[in-house]
PDB file of all heavy atoms in Angstrom:
ATOM      1  N   SER A   1      -1.922  -3.042  -7.733  1.00 98.00           N
ATOM      2  CA  SER A   1      -2.149  -1.716  -7.165  1.00 98.00           C
ATOM      3  C   SER A   1      -0.814  -1.088  -6.797  1.00 98.00           C
ATOM      4  O   SER A   1       0.074  -1.763  -6.269  1.00 98.00           O
ATOM      5  CB  SER A   1      -3.044  -1.819  -5.919  1.00 98.00           C
ATOM      6  OG  SER A   1      -3.378  -0.541  -5.430  1.00 98.00           O
ATOM      7  N   ALA A   2      -0.662   0.208  -7.087  1.00 98.00           N
ATOM      8  CA  ALA A   2       0.554   0.945  -6.739  1.00 98.00           C
ATOM      9  C   ALA A   2       0.175   2.374  -6.373  1.00 98.00           C
ATOM     10  O   ALA A   2      -0.564   3.031  -7.113  1.00 98.00           O
ATOM     11  CB  ALA A   2       1.551   0.939  -7.901  1.00 98.00           C
ATOM     12  N   TYR A   3       0.646   2.838  -5.225  1.00 98.00           N
ATOM     13  CA  TYR A   3       0.372   4.200  -4.766  1.00 98.00           C
ATOM     14  C   TYR A   3       1.651   4.842  -4.273  1.00 98.00           C
ATOM     15  O   TYR A   3       2.511   4.179  -3.680  1.00 98.00           O
ATOM     16  CB  TYR A   3      -0.625   4.201  -3.598  1.00 98.00           C
ATOM     17  CG  TYR A   3      -2.067   4.019  -3.988  1.00 98.00           C
ATOM     18  CD1 TYR A   3      -2.654   2.764  -3.926  1.00 98.00           C
ATOM     19  CD2 TYR A   3      -2.847   5.103  -4.403  1.00 98.00           C
ATOM     20  CE1 TYR A   3      -3.993   2.593  -4.260  1.00 98.00           C
ATOM     21  CE2 TYR A   3      -4.179   4.934  -4.739  1.00 98.00           C
ATOM     22  CZ  TYR A   3      -4.745   3.682  -4.667  1.00 98.00           C
ATOM     23  OH  TYR A   3      -6.066   3.513  -5.009  1.00 98.00           O
ATOM     24  N   THR A   4       1.755   6.143  -4.501  1.00 98.00           N
ATOM     25  CA  THR A   4       2.736   6.953  -3.808  1.00 98.00           C
ATOM     26  C   THR A   4       1.974   8.034  -3.057  1.00 98.00           C
ATOM     27  O   THR A   4       0.984   8.581  -3.562  1.00 98.00           O
ATOM     28  CB  THR A   4       3.764   7.572  -4.768  1.00 98.00           C
ATOM     29  OG1 THR A   4       4.711   8.349  -4.021  1.00 98.00           O
ATOM     30  CG2 THR A   4       3.102   8.463  -5.800  1.00 98.00           C
ATOM     31  N   ALA A   5       2.403   8.313  -1.833  1.00 98.00           N
ATOM     32  CA  ALA A   5       1.763   9.332  -1.010  1.00 98.00           C
ATOM     33  C   ALA A   5       2.798  10.389  -0.663  1.00 98.00           C
ATOM     34  O   ALA A   5       3.905  10.066  -0.218  1.00 98.00           O
ATOM     35  CB  ALA A   5       1.197   8.706   0.271  1.00 98.00           C
ATOM     36  N   PHE A   6       2.452  11.663  -0.868  1.00 97.00           N
ATOM     37  CA  PHE A   6       3.381  12.743  -0.551  1.00 97.00           C
ATOM     38  C   PHE A   6       2.604  13.947  -0.029  1.00 97.00           C
ATOM     39  O   PHE A   6       1.412  14.119  -0.309  1.00 97.00           O
ATOM     40  CB  PHE A   6       4.213  13.128  -1.777  1.00 97.00           C
ATOM     41  CG  PHE A   6       3.400  13.568  -2.969  1.00 97.00           C
ATOM     42  CD1 PHE A   6       3.057  14.902  -3.149  1.00 97.00           C
ATOM     43  CD2 PHE A   6       2.960  12.650  -3.910  1.00 97.00           C
ATOM     44  CE1 PHE A   6       2.311  15.313  -4.247  1.00 97.00           C
ATOM     45  CE2 PHE A   6       2.206  13.046  -5.014  1.00 97.00           C
ATOM     46  CZ  PHE A   6       1.887  14.379  -5.176  1.00 97.00           C
ATOM     47  N   GLY A   7       3.269  14.757   0.767  1.00 96.00           N
ATOM     48  CA  GLY A   7       2.637  15.935   1.347  1.00 96.00           C
ATOM     49  C   GLY A   7       3.415  16.386   2.559  1.00 96.00           C
ATOM     50  O   GLY A   7       4.634  16.196   2.646  1.00 96.00           O
ATOM     51  N   GLU A   8       2.712  16.965   3.537  1.00 95.00           N
ATOM     52  CA  GLU A   8       3.388  17.432   4.736  1.00 95.00           C
ATOM     53  C   GLU A   8       2.412  17.430   5.913  1.00 95.00           C
ATOM     54  O   GLU A   8       1.196  17.524   5.744  1.00 95.00           O
ATOM     55  CB  GLU A   8       3.963  18.834   4.539  1.00 95.00           C
ATOM     56  CG  GLU A   8       2.935  19.895   4.199  1.00 95.00           C
ATOM     57  CD  GLU A   8       3.567  21.246   3.903  1.00 95.00           C
ATOM     58  OE1 GLU A   8       4.742  21.295   3.487  1.00 95.00           O
ATOM     59  OE2 GLU A   8       2.860  22.254   4.103  1.00 95.00           O
ATOM     60  N   GLU A   9       2.971  17.288   7.112  1.00 93.00           N
ATOM     61  CA  GLU A   9       2.194  17.400   8.338  1.00 93.00           C
ATOM     62  C   GLU A   9       2.851  18.442   9.229  1.00 93.00           C
ATOM     63  O   GLU A   9       4.078  18.522   9.308  1.00 93.00           O
ATOM     64  CB  GLU A   9       2.071  16.060   9.049  1.00 93.00           C
ATOM     65  CG  GLU A   9       3.349  15.288   9.236  1.00 93.00           C
ATOM     66  CD  GLU A   9       3.101  13.897   9.813  1.00 93.00           C
ATOM     67  OE1 GLU A   9       1.969  13.605  10.191  1.00 93.00           O
ATOM     68  OE2 GLU A   9       4.063  13.113   9.876  1.00 93.00           O
ATOM     69  N   ALA A  10       1.998  19.249   9.882  1.00 89.00           N
ATOM     70  CA  ALA A  10       2.512  20.374  10.654  1.00 89.00           C
ATOM     71  C   ALA A  10       3.364  19.913  11.825  1.00 89.00           C
ATOM     72  O   ALA A  10       4.391  20.519  12.145  1.00 89.00           O
ATOM     73  CB  ALA A  10       1.350  21.237  11.135  1.00 89.00           C
ATOM     74  N   ASP A  11       2.945  18.854  12.488  1.00 83.00           N
ATOM     75  CA  ASP A  11       3.697  18.275  13.597  1.00 83.00           C
ATOM     76  C   ASP A  11       3.717  16.778  13.407  1.00 83.00           C
ATOM     77  O   ASP A  11       2.671  16.155  13.261  1.00 83.00           O
ATOM     78  CB  ASP A  11       3.045  18.600  14.941  1.00 83.00           C
ATOM     79  CG  ASP A  11       3.131  20.073  15.280  1.00 83.00           C
ATOM     80  OD1 ASP A  11       4.229  20.523  15.636  1.00 83.00           O
ATOM     81  OD2 ASP A  11       2.089  20.760  15.184  1.00 83.00           O
ATOM     82  N   SER A  12       4.889  16.194  13.434  1.00 85.00           N
ATOM     83  CA  SER A  12       4.962  14.746  13.306  1.00 85.00           C
ATOM     84  C   SER A  12       4.695  14.104  14.664  1.00 85.00           C
ATOM     85  O   SER A  12       4.554  14.778  15.685  1.00 85.00           O
ATOM     86  CB  SER A  12       6.319  14.312  12.753  1.00 85.00           C
ATOM     87  OG  SER A  12       7.342  14.568  13.689  1.00 85.00           O
ATOM     88  N   VAL A  13       4.628  12.787  14.680  1.00 88.00           N
ATOM     89  CA  VAL A  13       4.241  12.069  15.897  1.00 88.00           C
ATOM     90  C   VAL A  13       5.273  12.231  17.007  1.00 88.00           C
ATOM     91  O   VAL A  13       4.920  12.415  18.181  1.00 88.00           O
ATOM     92  CB  VAL A  13       4.028  10.580  15.575  1.00 88.00           C
ATOM     93  CG1 VAL A  13       3.751   9.785  16.851  1.00 88.00           C
ATOM     94  CG2 VAL A  13       2.872  10.412  14.598  1.00 88.00           C
ATOM     95  N   PHE A  14       6.558  12.209  16.675  1.00 90.00           N
ATOM     96  CA  PHE A  14       7.602  12.209  17.704  1.00 90.00           C
ATOM     97  C   PHE A  14       8.382  13.519  17.789  1.00 90.00           C
ATOM     98  O   PHE A  14       9.202  13.678  18.695  1.00 90.00           O
ATOM     99  CB  PHE A  14       8.582  11.054  17.450  1.00 90.00           C
ATOM    100  CG  PHE A  14       7.973   9.693  17.682  1.00 90.00           C
ATOM    101  CD1 PHE A  14       7.454   8.961  16.626  1.00 90.00           C
ATOM    102  CD2 PHE A  14       7.898   9.150  18.949  1.00 90.00           C
ATOM    103  CE1 PHE A  14       6.885   7.714  16.829  1.00 90.00           C
ATOM    104  CE2 PHE A  14       7.322   7.908  19.168  1.00 90.00           C
ATOM    105  CZ  PHE A  14       6.814   7.181  18.108  1.00 90.00           C
ATOM    106  N   THR A  15       8.172  14.453  16.871  1.00 88.00           N
ATOM    107  CA  THR A  15       8.881  15.735  16.917  1.00 88.00           C
ATOM    108  C   THR A  15       7.871  16.868  16.712  1.00 88.00           C
ATOM    109  O   THR A  15       6.799  16.672  16.149  1.00 88.00           O
ATOM    110  CB  THR A  15       9.962  15.826  15.821  1.00 88.00           C
ATOM    111  OG1 THR A  15       9.330  15.864  14.522  1.00 88.00           O
ATOM    112  CG2 THR A  15      10.894  14.630  15.873  1.00 88.00           C
ATOM    113  N   ASN A  16       8.245  18.062  17.176  1.00 86.00           N
ATOM    114  CA  ASN A  16       7.361  19.212  17.026  1.00 86.00           C
ATOM    115  C   ASN A  16       7.720  20.060  15.814  1.00 86.00           C
ATOM    116  O   ASN A  16       7.518  21.269  15.799  1.00 86.00           O
ATOM    117  CB  ASN A  16       7.379  20.067  18.293  1.00 86.00           C
ATOM    118  CG  ASN A  16       8.765  20.640  18.588  1.00 86.00           C
ATOM    119  OD1 ASN A  16       9.752  20.271  17.938  1.00 86.00           O
ATOM    120  ND2 ASN A  16       8.847  21.531  19.570  1.00 86.00           N
ATOM    121  N   THR A  17       8.274  19.436  14.806  1.00 87.00           N
ATOM    122  CA  THR A  17       8.645  20.140  13.581  1.00 87.00           C
ATOM    123  C   THR A  17       7.827  19.617  12.401  1.00 87.00           C
ATOM    124  O   THR A  17       7.290  18.516  12.441  1.00 87.00           O
ATOM    125  CB  THR A  17      10.145  19.943  13.275  1.00 87.00           C
ATOM    126  OG1 THR A  17      10.409  18.531  13.137  1.00 87.00           O
ATOM    127  CG2 THR A  17      10.991  20.505  14.400  1.00 87.00           C
ATOM    128  N   GLU A  18       7.739  20.421  11.369  1.00 91.00           N
ATOM    129  CA  GLU A  18       7.042  20.022  10.156  1.00 91.00           C
ATOM    130  C   GLU A  18       7.755  18.832   9.517  1.00 91.00           C
ATOM    131  O   GLU A  18       8.983  18.754   9.513  1.00 91.00           O
ATOM    132  CB  GLU A  18       6.990  21.191   9.177  1.00 91.00           C
ATOM    133  CG  GLU A  18       6.220  20.919   7.910  1.00 91.00           C
ATOM    134  CD  GLU A  18       6.152  22.140   7.013  1.00 91.00           C
ATOM    135  OE1 GLU A  18       5.433  23.092   7.356  1.00 91.00           O
ATOM    136  OE2 GLU A  18       6.842  22.141   5.958  1.00 91.00           O
ATOM    137  N   SER A  19       6.971  17.901   9.017  1.00 93.00           N
ATOM    138  CA  SER A  19       7.550  16.692   8.448  1.00 93.00           C
ATOM    139  C   SER A  19       7.021  16.478   7.039  1.00 93.00           C
ATOM    140  O   SER A  19       5.839  16.712   6.757  1.00 93.00           O
ATOM    141  CB  SER A  19       7.212  15.483   9.325  1.00 93.00           C
ATOM    142  OG  SER A  19       7.820  14.305   8.817  1.00 93.00           O
ATOM    143  N   GLU A  20       7.915  16.032   6.164  1.00 95.00           N
ATOM    144  CA  GLU A  20       7.543  15.748   4.775  1.00 95.00           C
ATOM    145  C   GLU A  20       7.076  14.299   4.659  1.00 95.00           C
ATOM    146  O   GLU A  20       7.764  13.374   5.076  1.00 95.00           O
ATOM    147  CB  GLU A  20       8.751  15.973   3.860  1.00 95.00           C
ATOM    148  CG  GLU A  20       8.500  15.619   2.406  1.00 95.00           C
ATOM    149  CD  GLU A  20       9.748  15.689   1.556  1.00 95.00           C
ATOM    150  OE1 GLU A  20      10.773  16.219   2.063  1.00 95.00           O
ATOM    151  OE2 GLU A  20       9.725  15.207   0.409  1.00 95.00           O
ATOM    152  N   ILE A  21       5.867  14.101   4.104  1.00 96.00           N
ATOM    153  CA  ILE A  21       5.321  12.764   3.896  1.00 96.00           C
ATOM    154  C   ILE A  21       5.826  12.219   2.569  1.00 96.00           C
ATOM    155  O   ILE A  21       5.702  12.864   1.522  1.00 96.00           O
ATOM    156  CB  ILE A  21       3.785  12.789   3.904  1.00 96.00           C
ATOM    157  CG1 ILE A  21       3.271  13.276   5.265  1.00 96.00           C
ATOM    158  CG2 ILE A  21       3.213  11.414   3.586  1.00 96.00           C
ATOM    159  CD1 ILE A  21       1.787  13.581   5.271  1.00 96.00           C
ATOM    160  N   SER A  22       6.414  11.037   2.608  1.00 96.00           N
ATOM    161  CA  SER A  22       6.917  10.389   1.401  1.00 96.00           C
ATOM    162  C   SER A  22       6.859   8.883   1.612  1.00 96.00           C
ATOM    163  O   SER A  22       7.715   8.307   2.279  1.00 96.00           O
ATOM    164  CB  SER A  22       8.354  10.836   1.097  1.00 96.00           C
ATOM    165  OG  SER A  22       8.856  10.193  -0.062  1.00 96.00           O
ATOM    166  N   ALA A  23       5.825   8.236   1.058  1.00 97.00           N
ATOM    167  CA  ALA A  23       5.603   6.814   1.311  1.00 97.00           C
ATOM    168  C   ALA A  23       5.038   6.163   0.056  1.00 97.00           C
ATOM    169  O   ALA A  23       4.561   6.842  -0.861  1.00 97.00           O
ATOM    170  CB  ALA A  23       4.643   6.635   2.485  1.00 97.00           C
ATOM    171  N   TYR A  24       5.056   4.814   0.041  1.00 97.00           N
ATOM    172  CA  TYR A  24       4.525   4.123  -1.130  1.00 97.00           C
ATOM    173  C   TYR A  24       3.941   2.774  -0.747  1.00 97.00           C
ATOM    174  O   TYR A  24       4.194   2.235   0.340  1.00 97.00           O
ATOM    175  CB  TYR A  24       5.585   3.980  -2.222  1.00 97.00           C
ATOM    176  CG  TYR A  24       6.783   3.139  -1.844  1.00 97.00           C
ATOM    177  CD1 TYR A  24       6.846   1.786  -2.177  1.00 97.00           C
ATOM    178  CD2 TYR A  24       7.867   3.700  -1.165  1.00 97.00           C
ATOM    179  CE1 TYR A  24       7.942   1.013  -1.845  1.00 97.00           C
ATOM    180  CE2 TYR A  24       8.974   2.935  -0.834  1.00 97.00           C
ATOM    181  CZ  TYR A  24       9.001   1.592  -1.175  1.00 97.00           C
ATOM    182  OH  TYR A  24      10.089   0.823  -0.837  1.00 97.00           O
ATOM    183  N   PHE A  25       3.171   2.220  -1.675  1.00 98.00           N
ATOM    184  CA  PHE A  25       2.411   0.989  -1.431  1.00 98.00           C
ATOM    185  C   PHE A  25       2.328   0.203  -2.731  1.00 98.00           C
ATOM    186  O   PHE A  25       2.101   0.771  -3.804  1.00 98.00           O
ATOM    187  CB  PHE A  25       1.006   1.360  -0.944  1.00 98.00           C
ATOM    188  CG  PHE A  25       0.054   0.193  -0.822  1.00 98.00           C
ATOM    189  CD1 PHE A  25      -0.029  -0.522   0.358  1.00 98.00           C
ATOM    190  CD2 PHE A  25      -0.765  -0.178  -1.882  1.00 98.00           C
ATOM    191  CE1 PHE A  25      -0.915  -1.588   0.489  1.00 98.00           C
ATOM    192  CE2 PHE A  25      -1.643  -1.245  -1.766  1.00 98.00           C
ATOM    193  CZ  PHE A  25      -1.715  -1.957  -0.587  1.00 98.00           C
ATOM    194  N   LEU A  26       2.505  -1.120  -2.638  1.00 98.00           N
ATOM    195  CA  LEU A  26       2.407  -2.017  -3.787  1.00 98.00           C
ATOM    196  C   LEU A  26       1.627  -3.257  -3.388  1.00 98.00           C
ATOM    197  O   LEU A  26       1.781  -3.762  -2.272  1.00 98.00           O
ATOM    198  CB  LEU A  26       3.795  -2.431  -4.280  1.00 98.00           C
ATOM    199  CG  LEU A  26       4.761  -1.328  -4.714  1.00 98.00           C
ATOM    200  CD1 LEU A  26       6.167  -1.884  -4.875  1.00 98.00           C
ATOM    201  CD2 LEU A  26       4.286  -0.685  -6.016  1.00 98.00           C
ATOM    202  N   ALA A  27       0.793  -3.761  -4.281  1.00 98.00           N
ATOM    203  CA  ALA A  27       0.062  -5.001  -4.007  1.00 98.00           C
ATOM    204  C   ALA A  27      -0.264  -5.695  -5.323  1.00 98.00           C
ATOM    205  O   ALA A  27      -0.479  -5.040  -6.353  1.00 98.00           O
ATOM    206  CB  ALA A  27      -1.226  -4.727  -3.225  1.00 98.00           C
ATOM    207  N   ALA A  28      -0.319  -7.019  -5.288  1.00 98.00           N
ATOM    208  CA  ALA A  28      -0.700  -7.805  -6.463  1.00 98.00           C
ATOM    209  C   ALA A  28      -1.283  -9.128  -6.000  1.00 98.00           C
ATOM    210  O   ALA A  28      -0.825  -9.704  -5.000  1.00 98.00           O
ATOM    211  CB  ALA A  28       0.501  -8.044  -7.383  1.00 98.00           C
ATOM    212  N   GLU A  29      -2.282  -9.597  -6.718  1.00 97.00           N
ATOM    213  CA  GLU A  29      -2.862 -10.910  -6.448  1.00 97.00           C
ATOM    214  C   GLU A  29      -3.190 -11.576  -7.774  1.00 97.00           C
ATOM    215  O   GLU A  29      -3.868 -10.983  -8.616  1.00 97.00           O
ATOM    216  CB  GLU A  29      -4.113 -10.790  -5.580  1.00 97.00           C
ATOM    217  CG  GLU A  29      -4.662 -12.137  -5.124  1.00 97.00           C
ATOM    218  CD  GLU A  29      -5.738 -11.974  -4.054  1.00 97.00           C
ATOM    219  OE1 GLU A  29      -5.385 -11.916  -2.860  1.00 97.00           O
ATOM    220  OE2 GLU A  29      -6.933 -11.885  -4.422  1.00 97.00           O
ATOM    221  N   ALA A  30      -2.708 -12.804  -7.957  1.00 97.00           N
ATOM    222  CA  ALA A  30      -2.943 -13.557  -9.185  1.00 97.00           C
ATOM    223  C   ALA A  30      -3.612 -14.879  -8.839  1.00 97.00           C
ATOM    224  O   ALA A  30      -3.309 -15.494  -7.809  1.00 97.00           O
ATOM    225  CB  ALA A  30      -1.621 -13.817  -9.919  1.00 97.00           C
ATOM    226  N   SER A  31      -4.523 -15.304  -9.703  1.00 97.00           N
ATOM    227  CA  SER A  31      -5.210 -16.578  -9.479  1.00 97.00           C
ATOM    228  C   SER A  31      -5.552 -17.196 -10.830  1.00 97.00           C
ATOM    229  O   SER A  31      -5.493 -16.539 -11.872  1.00 97.00           O
ATOM    230  CB  SER A  31      -6.486 -16.373  -8.649  1.00 97.00           C
ATOM    231  OG  SER A  31      -7.435 -15.582  -9.362  1.00 97.00           O
ATOM    232  N   MET A  32      -5.917 -18.479 -10.789  1.00 96.00           N
ATOM    233  CA  MET A  32      -6.306 -19.187 -12.007  1.00 96.00           C
ATOM    234  C   MET A  32      -7.379 -20.212 -11.655  1.00 96.00           C
ATOM    235  O   MET A  32      -7.318 -20.841 -10.594  1.00 96.00           O
ATOM    236  CB  MET A  32      -5.101 -19.873 -12.658  1.00 96.00           C
ATOM    237  CG  MET A  32      -5.418 -20.541 -13.992  1.00 96.00           C
ATOM    238  SD  MET A  32      -3.948 -21.308 -14.769  1.00 96.00           S
ATOM    239  CE  MET A  32      -2.984 -19.851 -15.181  1.00 96.00           C
ATOM    240  N   ASP A  33      -8.362 -20.357 -12.519  1.00 95.00           N
ATOM    241  CA  ASP A  33      -9.474 -21.275 -12.284  1.00 95.00           C
ATOM    242  C   ASP A  33      -9.206 -22.639 -12.911  1.00 95.00           C
ATOM    243  O   ASP A  33      -8.861 -22.721 -14.095  1.00 95.00           O
ATOM    244  CB  ASP A  33     -10.771 -20.699 -12.860  1.00 95.00           C
ATOM    245  CG  ASP A  33     -11.195 -19.427 -12.144  1.00 95.00           C
ATOM    246  OD1 ASP A  33     -11.228 -19.446 -10.901  1.00 95.00           O
ATOM    247  OD2 ASP A  33     -11.487 -18.416 -12.814  1.00 95.00           O
ATOM    248  N   PHE A  34      -9.348 -23.667 -12.093  1.00 95.00           N
ATOM    249  CA  PHE A  34      -9.306 -25.051 -12.557  1.00 95.00           C
ATOM    250  C   PHE A  34     -10.626 -25.703 -12.176  1.00 95.00           C
ATOM    251  O   PHE A  34     -10.772 -26.216 -11.064  1.00 95.00           O
ATOM    252  CB  PHE A  34      -8.128 -25.804 -11.940  1.00 95.00           C
ATOM    253  CG  PHE A  34      -6.781 -25.229 -12.287  1.00 95.00           C
ATOM    254  CD1 PHE A  34      -6.186 -24.282 -11.466  1.00 95.00           C
ATOM    255  CD2 PHE A  34      -6.113 -25.633 -13.426  1.00 95.00           C
ATOM    256  CE1 PHE A  34      -4.944 -23.745 -11.777  1.00 95.00           C
ATOM    257  CE2 PHE A  34      -4.865 -25.107 -13.748  1.00 95.00           C
ATOM    258  CZ  PHE A  34      -4.276 -24.160 -12.922  1.00 95.00           C
ATOM    259  N   ASP A  35     -11.606 -25.619 -13.075  1.00 93.00           N
ATOM    260  CA  ASP A  35     -12.938 -26.133 -12.811  1.00 93.00           C
ATOM    261  C   ASP A  35     -13.486 -25.448 -11.558  1.00 93.00           C
ATOM    262  O   ASP A  35     -13.738 -24.248 -11.551  1.00 93.00           O
ATOM    263  CB  ASP A  35     -12.903 -27.653 -12.678  1.00 93.00           C
ATOM    264  CG  ASP A  35     -14.295 -28.265 -12.771  1.00 93.00           C
ATOM    265  OD1 ASP A  35     -15.259 -27.531 -13.071  1.00 93.00           O
ATOM    266  OD2 ASP A  35     -14.413 -29.467 -12.542  1.00 93.00           O
ATOM    267  N   TRP A  36     -13.629 -26.160 -10.437  1.00 95.00           N
ATOM    268  CA  TRP A  36     -14.230 -25.599  -9.233  1.00 95.00           C
ATOM    269  C   TRP A  36     -13.208 -25.128  -8.205  1.00 95.00           C
ATOM    270  O   TRP A  36     -13.553 -24.733  -7.096  1.00 95.00           O
ATOM    271  CB  TRP A  36     -15.140 -26.640  -8.578  1.00 95.00           C
ATOM    272  CG  TRP A  36     -14.459 -27.969  -8.326  1.00 95.00           C
ATOM    273  CD1 TRP A  36     -14.244 -28.966  -9.237  1.00 95.00           C
ATOM    274  CD2 TRP A  36     -13.888 -28.421  -7.094  1.00 95.00           C
ATOM    275  NE1 TRP A  36     -13.578 -30.015  -8.642  1.00 95.00           N
ATOM    276  CE2 TRP A  36     -13.350 -29.718  -7.325  1.00 95.00           C
ATOM    277  CE3 TRP A  36     -13.794 -27.871  -5.819  1.00 95.00           C
ATOM    278  CZ2 TRP A  36     -12.727 -30.449  -6.325  1.00 95.00           C
ATOM    279  CZ3 TRP A  36     -13.170 -28.608  -4.821  1.00 95.00           C
ATOM    280  CH2 TRP A  36     -12.643 -29.879  -5.085  1.00 95.00           C
ATOM    281  N   ILE A  37     -11.925 -25.106  -8.587  1.00 97.00           N
ATOM    282  CA  ILE A  37     -10.850 -24.710  -7.677  1.00 97.00           C
ATOM    283  C   ILE A  37     -10.125 -23.484  -8.221  1.00 97.00           C
ATOM    284  O   ILE A  37      -9.774 -23.433  -9.402  1.00 97.00           O
ATOM    285  CB  ILE A  37      -9.843 -25.862  -7.478  1.00 97.00           C
ATOM    286  CG1 ILE A  37     -10.533 -27.091  -6.877  1.00 97.00           C
ATOM    287  CG2 ILE A  37      -8.678 -25.424  -6.609  1.00 97.00           C
ATOM    288  CD1 ILE A  37      -9.633 -28.291  -6.755  1.00 97.00           C
ATOM    289  N   ARG A  38      -9.900 -22.494  -7.356  1.00 96.00           N
ATOM    290  CA  ARG A  38      -9.153 -21.299  -7.751  1.00 96.00           C
ATOM    291  C   ARG A  38      -8.009 -21.066  -6.760  1.00 96.00           C
ATOM    292  O   ARG A  38      -8.205 -20.505  -5.672  1.00 96.00           O
ATOM    293  CB  ARG A  38     -10.040 -20.059  -7.793  1.00 96.00           C
ATOM    294  CG  ARG A  38      -9.260 -18.757  -8.022  1.00 96.00           C
ATOM    295  CD  ARG A  38     -10.136 -17.530  -8.053  1.00 96.00           C
ATOM    296  NE  ARG A  38     -10.888 -17.438  -9.296  1.00 96.00           N
ATOM    297  CZ  ARG A  38     -11.599 -16.365  -9.659  1.00 96.00           C
ATOM    298  NH1 ARG A  38     -11.660 -15.316  -8.858  1.00 96.00           N
ATOM    299  NH2 ARG A  38     -12.245 -16.358 -10.810  1.00 96.00           N
ATOM    300  N   PRO A  39      -6.773 -21.482  -7.078  1.00 97.00           N
ATOM    301  CA  PRO A  39      -5.620 -21.132  -6.251  1.00 97.00           C
ATOM    302  C   PRO A  39      -5.176 -19.691  -6.538  1.00 97.00           C
ATOM    303  O   PRO A  39      -5.389 -19.159  -7.629  1.00 97.00           O
ATOM    304  CB  PRO A  39      -4.553 -22.137  -6.680  1.00 97.00           C
ATOM    305  CG  PRO A  39      -4.930 -22.497  -8.082  1.00 97.00           C
ATOM    306  CD  PRO A  39      -6.418 -22.390  -8.181  1.00 97.00           C
ATOM    307  N   LYS A  40      -4.544 -19.078  -5.548  1.00 97.00           N
ATOM    308  CA  LYS A  40      -4.132 -17.687  -5.724  1.00 97.00           C
ATOM    309  C   LYS A  40      -2.858 -17.394  -4.940  1.00 97.00           C
ATOM    310  O   LYS A  40      -2.549 -18.046  -3.935  1.00 97.00           O
ATOM    311  CB  LYS A  40      -5.241 -16.734  -5.276  1.00 97.00           C
ATOM    312  CG  LYS A  40      -5.707 -16.936  -3.843  1.00 97.00           C
ATOM    313  CD  LYS A  40      -6.923 -16.082  -3.528  1.00 97.00           C
ATOM    314  CE  LYS A  40      -7.447 -16.363  -2.122  1.00 97.00           C
ATOM    315  NZ  LYS A  40      -8.667 -15.596  -1.810  1.00 97.00           N
TER     316      LYS A  40
END
C-alpha cells in the first residue's frame, strides 16, 4: 500500500495560518504457507 495526501487546512493545530498538507504512507506485508504454518 502507498498513499500520498495533499491539500490545505484553514488553521493548523499550533498556528492560526493556513497550512499546506503534504504527507505520505507506505505499508507491505509478505507471508508464505508451509503446510499449516504461515510466517509473515
Side-chain angles (χ1 to χ4, degrees):
S1 186
Y3 281 97
T4 181
F6 58 90
E8 60 185 26
E9 49 186 352
D11 292 286
S12 68
V13 175
F14 291 96
T15 67
N16 62 351
T17 59
E18 183 177 288
S19 183
E20 176 187 349
I21 298 169
S22 179
Y24 63 95
F25 173 89
L26 301 168
E29 187 169 272
S31 65
M32 184 178 292
D33 295 311
F34 299 92
D35 195 7
W36 53 280
I37 300 175
R38 172 180 286 189
K40 56 187 176 183

